[in-house]
Amino acid sequence: MNPGESKTVALDGPVTIYEVAGLREAFREALAEGVDLRVELDESTKWDLAGLQLLISCVQTARADGRSLTLAKVPRACVEAAERSGLSRWLDSTSEKD
C-alpha cells in the first residue's frame, strides 16, 4: 500500500484476555503495512480490560508512526467495558463519530 492509503480491519467474536495474543499478531501485521487503520468492532462480542489495553497499544503504535487508528461501529459491550475501566473518554476520543 502507498502512503496516504488506509485499511479497514474488522474484529469479530470476543475480545478478551483469551483472544488478545492472537489479535495482537493480526494488529502487528496490519500496522506493519504502514497505513492508517480503521477498526470495525460491530461483530465483536464480549470485551474485557485486556481487549481495551490491546486497542490502546495499537492506537499508540499507529500514532508514534505518524498514522491514525480509528475505531468504528463500537458495540455496547465495548462501551460498557470502557465505562467499568474508566476509559470512556479515551474510547470516545478514538472512535469514529456518527
Side-chain angles (χ1 to χ4, degrees), residues 5-85:
E5 288 189 52
S6 64
K7 177 178 182 165
T8 297
V9 176
L11 295 185
D12 63 349
V15 186
T16 68
I17 193 166
Y18 303 107
E19 296 81 27
V20 165
L23 292 171
R24 182 176 49 235
E25 289 306 313
F27 272 115
R28 277 188 186 155
E29 290 174 16
L31 288 165
E33 293 183 30
V35 298
D36 292 340
L37 291 178
R38 180 176 183 267
V39 181
E40 293 182 349
L41 305 175
D42 58 326
E43 296 296 322
S44 63
T45 55
K46 188 174 180 181
W47 281 82
D48 67 9
L49 183 56
L52 291 170
Q53 288 172 323
L54 175 65
L55 291 181
I56 291 167
S57 176
C58 291
V59 168
Q60 289 176 336
T61 299
R63 287 180 180 168
D65 290 339
R67 293 177 279 122
S68 68
L69 189 151
T70 304
L71 305 176
K73 304 177 183 178
V74 180
R76 185 72 198 148
C78 182
V79 170
E80 290 171 355
E83 289 170 350
R84 287 191 306 272
S85 305

